[in-house]
Amino acid sequence: MRWRKVKQNPKSPQKKHIDSIQIPKTLPHQLEKELTQNPTSLQLAHFLDRGKAHIIDTFMIYLPLLYFLTYVVVGSAQGFRDSAWAQFVAVFIYGSIAAVLLTFKGQTPGKKAYNLWVVRESGKNVTFLFAFVRFFAFLLSGASVVGILMPLWRKDKKTLHDILCKTIVLKKD
């Protein structure tokens, strides 16, 4: 049996992967401004970076909000657990805060820590209503677990809520 030497592709697999995904040509003003100050390359965000950013957002936004609602508004942990509206209000306020941050900055604190940006597939900023709907699509995606794990086997590294809302998460090197 004769073996043939396989011709090497001059492009690295990662570079080819990114070129085939189509990063938008027009980017939000804030991201363009940051790229002109420090020109680097953009790539699609990795699954672990997105997960770590979400953990930071949970600790910086959601947990203080839960503490405030539990002990200041409701009065006790037992009261918070027994309340039918408190958990819903906490999630609603957290989604609103995340939507405001994505609207004005394109990032939440966790995404900023890992240089991640959320933009529409067209390259435009997400609006408040759009970011708010994306947050509830994220809850749906998280409830199905498979929706959150989708970037592990998809070439475009999109989760279920990214597919539903037509967004991409970019990482600036």
Side-chain angles (χ1 to χ4, degrees):
M1 186 183 262
R2 293 178 66 172
W3 295 93
R4 291 186 310 162
K5 187 174 181 180
V6 178
K7 192 174 188 180
Q8 293 286 332
N9 189 354
K11 291 183 177 182
S12 67
Q14 178 130 3
K15 181 76 171 158
K16 182 179 179 188
H17 177 266
I18 292 170
D19 288 343
S20 66
I21 299 303
Q22 289 266 345
I23 292 176
K25 303 243 185 285
T26 60
L27 295 170
H29 178 68
Q30 184 78 14
L31 182 55
E32 275 187 31
K33 181 180 167 185
E34 189 136 334
L35 283 173
T36 55
Q37 290 173 355
N38 186 10
T40 56
S41 64
L42 284 177
Q43 61 182 346
L44 297 170
H46 296 286
F47 176 74
L48 288 177
D49 289 338
R50 292 174 69 150
K52 291 186 274 187
H54 182 69
I55 290 170
I56 289 173
D57 290 338
T58 301
F59 280 102
M60 290 184 71
I61 301 171
Y62 193 55
L63 289 181
L65 178 64
L66 283 177
Y67 182 83
F68 179 79
L69 285 174
T70 301
Y71 295 108
V72 176
V73 176
V74 177
S76 69
Q78 185 63 38
F80 185 82
R81 283 190 295 265
D82 292 341
S83 174
W85 61 271
Q87 293 94 0
F88 176 75
V89 168
V91 171
F92 185 80
I93 293 172
Y94 176 57
S96 299
I97 292 170
V100 166
L101 291 170
L102 286 177
T103 301
F104 292 110
K105 299 286 186 181
Q107 301 172 305
T108 57
K111 287 179 176 45
K112 186 170 181 126
Y114 288 96
N115 287 326
L116 303 179
W117 298 80
V118 178
V119 295
R120 307 266 320 245
E121 286 178 348
S122 62
K124 297 179 181 176
N125 272 340
V126 293
T127 62
F128 174 79
L129 184 61
F130 194 82
F132 195 67
V133 169
R134 185 180 184 272
F135 175 77
F136 283 100
F138 165 75
L139 295 178
L140 173 73
S141 185
S144 70
V145 180
V146 173
I148 294 291
L149 298 176
M150 287 176 77
L152 294 174
W153 63 80
R154 288 183 58 97
K155 288 183 180 181
D156 60 1
K157 300 196 186 293
K158 286 188 173 191
T159 57
L160 179 62
H161 57 280
D162 287 329
I163 294 167
L164 293 174
C165 297
K166 296 183 180 178
T167 57
I168 54 176
V169 181
L170 299 174
K171 180 175 176 69
K172 183 182 81 121
D173 283 334

